[in-house]
Amino acid sequence: FFLQIVSLTQRLKGQNPISSKMPVTTSSYGQTPSGEEVTLYTLSNGTTTAKVITYGGNIISLQTPDRKGEVTDITLGYDSLDMWMDNPTFFGCLVGRVGNRVAKGKFTVEGKEYQLAQNNGDNHLHGGPTGFHKRNWAGSVSGEVVTLVYVSADMEEGYPGELTATVTYEVTPANELIITYKATTTKTTIVNLTNHSYFNLAGAGSGGTILDHEFESPCRAYVPVDDGCIPTGEVASVEGTPFDFRTKTAIGARNDSFANGYDHNLCVNRVGKSNTDLALVGTMSEPVSGRTLTVTTTEPGCQLYCAGFLDGSNVGREGKGYPRYGGFCLETQHYPDAVNQPSFKTYVLNPSDTYTSKTVFAFGIATEA
């Protein structure tokens, strides 16, 4: 894919060969109402360009070419810092301490029960109202890598322990966006970090849905949930269900099997993999533009969310409202509510341990049929 993209871009736009050593550029993105400086980092290899801000760790732009060499933004987002600070649907942000849901906002560690905010019906979602997506992280640059650090105070949003979270972003010569996560704590706590970017491979400003996008995934199981999107505790086979993407299938073929479309955790096939090995989640492709996105991760699960809760009222770049099913998320993570599900791999973090995670978003161009 990388060679196809480079040759197309060079032929159509006369670009020089991609440098593997393009420096990260740094600029101001404004200030928060409390006077905190928000920094914008631009990472690029000459073909793929990602823009990240310190507020919320948001990926505010991600530009890639289509098969004609035309470059456009493929992530949903906003034009201003004020809008990113509001961001009611979690576009592009880091979510934590715990991504996804915690049933009734309750969990117990070391015999003590903790109560979190119930900001999603009866449940806790994405770290709470002032989770990591509402924090201005400390940023730095080393070579082609951007590092963001946030120190979350003991009992912030109800979570025990002072947690130091470190997230890095890198765009590689192979048109990959690599995100790594690390966290340490002073008390036993829970942590499940992820990125919540919404993608539309036809272009974020296309105005269309992602129902014609096609997904192919080796995932053989999924996590059934109740009406509140809380796991039942089962891990079920995808065989004969709308979650079977082992053969490439359009999202729209079975998305209406659910009232709000896909919002479910797929179980990554990690057979034969160590905790630090990357495993394939799957490849999403858009047939007209030819753009593809392949996701690999060290995580055991990935939430496939197809933006069923967008309704056009969330106005993004250039004053355009994003429609229902206008984007998709592939949120790599531990299974939802794992702290309350004995059969799931835990995301409890002890002071003697370090939480680590890595996800690679690889962008390509599909060969025309």
Side-chain angles (χ1 to χ4, degrees), residues 49-298:
T49 300
K51 295 184 177 183
V52 178
I53 59 173
T54 51
Y55 189 87
N58 284 292
I59 297 173
I60 66 166
S61 172
L62 209 162
Q63 297 187 334
T64 66
D66 63 12
R67 61 164 53 103
K68 296 179 181 179
E70 295 297 323
V71 177
T72 194
D73 206 319
I74 60 169
T75 56
L76 277 55
Y78 304 109
D79 287 322
S80 69
L81 176 57
D82 287 348
M83 297 173 79
W84 281 110
M85 291 183 69
D86 184 27
N87 196 8
T89 49
F90 300 92
F91 287 165
C93 63
L94 294 173
V95 291
R97 290 185 192 189
V98 171
N100 217 307
R101 294 165 178 87
V102 177
K104 301 189 184 304
K106 296 182 185 226
F107 69 96
T108 300
V109 293
E110 297 184 333
K112 183 175 180 180
E113 184 178 84
Y114 294 89
Q115 178 66 59
L116 307 173
Q118 293 168 281
N119 62 321
N120 183 243
D122 290 336
N123 305 314
H124 179 80
L125 178 67
H126 292 334
T130 57
F132 287 1
H133 64 296
K134 295 288 188 180
R135 306 291 175 169
N136 195 30
W137 296 54
S140 63
V141 177
S142 177
E144 296 80 50
V145 179
V146 171
T147 300
L148 300 183
V149 178
Y150 177 66
V151 180
S152 176
D154 182 24
M155 296 308 297
E156 181 179 287
E157 277 291 355
Y159 291 96
E162 180 183 273
L163 186 91
T164 301
T166 303
V167 181
T168 69
Y169 303 79
E170 179 182 7
V171 172
T172 74
N175 289 306
E176 300 164 325
L177 172 63
I178 300 176
I179 306 180
T180 70
Y181 308 83
K182 183 174 74 172
T184 56
T185 182
T186 59
K187 296 178 183 177
T188 301
T189 192
I190 56 176
V191 60
N192 190 27
L193 304 178
T194 192
N195 177 269
H196 207 285
S197 290
Y198 290 63
F199 297 93
N200 186 322
L201 299 181
S206 68
T209 73
I210 50 84
L211 296 178
D212 62 347
H213 283 44
E214 298 172 327
F215 189 47
E216 185 170 9
S217 170
C219 294
R220 298 181 295 187
Y222 74 102
V223 175
V225 295
D226 64 19
D227 290 343
C229 292
I230 296 299
T232 63
E234 304 169 84
V235 172
S237 171
V238 299
E239 184 74 34
T241 75
F243 305 103
D244 191 348
F245 290 99
R246 290 174 294 180
T247 299
K248 184 163 66 174
T249 304
I251 291 295
R254 298 173 301 203
N255 189 59
D256 62 0
S257 300
F258 315 100
N260 293 297
Y262 288 108
D263 190 7
H264 299 81
N265 181 77
L266 301 177
C267 303
V268 178
N269 185 359
R270 299 199 57 82
V271 174
K273 302 285 188 181
S274 73
N275 288 338
T276 58
D277 288 337
L278 292 169
L280 177 63
V281 173
T283 297
M284 192 76 76
S285 56
E286 199 282 311
V288 177
S289 69
R291 290 188 183 90
T292 66
L293 169 57
T294 299
V295 179
T296 54
T297 187
T298 58

